């Protein structure tokens, strides 16, 4: 069942917003601006929303995004993944002994 009112770009955009929010929260907690206890519910957004976004992406329209749209999406997702990995590693290395 396709969802004609939901476009692939919108689903990817919402996913990127949640991913970048997670990156900012990891950096803020690693620096000490906030504690994990203050923002722990926001950290749950990424693992909970990932399967939902995959399901929405597979049922959204149009079936194909076009060459230019695919390239932009790949670049955005790769950049987000690299920044998320760097934030995780920096958070682990910055952790308290």
């Amino acid at each position: 069942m396709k969802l004609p009112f939901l476009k692939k770009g919108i689903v990817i955009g919402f996913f990127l917003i949640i991913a970048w929010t997670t990156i900012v929260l990891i950096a803020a907690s690693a620096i000490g601006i906030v504690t994990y206890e203050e923002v722990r519910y926001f950290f749950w957004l990424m693992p909970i929303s990932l399967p939902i976004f995959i399901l929405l992406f597979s049922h959204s329209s149009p079936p194909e995004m076009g060459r230019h749209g695919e390239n932009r999406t790949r670049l955005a997702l790769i950049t987000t993944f690299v920044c998320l990995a760097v934030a995780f590693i920096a958070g682990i290395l910055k952790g308290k002994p």
Side-chain angles (χ1 to χ4, degrees), residues 30-92:
I31 293 171
I33 296 173
V34 295
T35 64
Y36 173 76
E37 294 299 321
E38 294 172 346
V39 293
R40 67 178 168 192
Y41 297 112
F42 291 107
F43 281 121
W44 295 350
L45 283 176
M46 183 62 94
I48 291 172
S49 66
L50 186 60
I52 294 169
F53 282 122
I54 291 171
L55 182 66
L56 287 175
F57 184 78
S58 65
H59 285 68
S60 60
S61 63
E64 295 178 12
M65 294 179 64
R67 188 81 171 146
H68 182 66
E70 286 180 5
N71 289 338
R72 288 183 55 208
T73 301
R74 281 189 195 119
L75 180 63
L77 291 174
I78 289 170
T79 303
T80 302
F81 176 75
V82 168
C83 291
L84 192 58
V86 168
F88 280 137
I89 293 169
I92 290 170

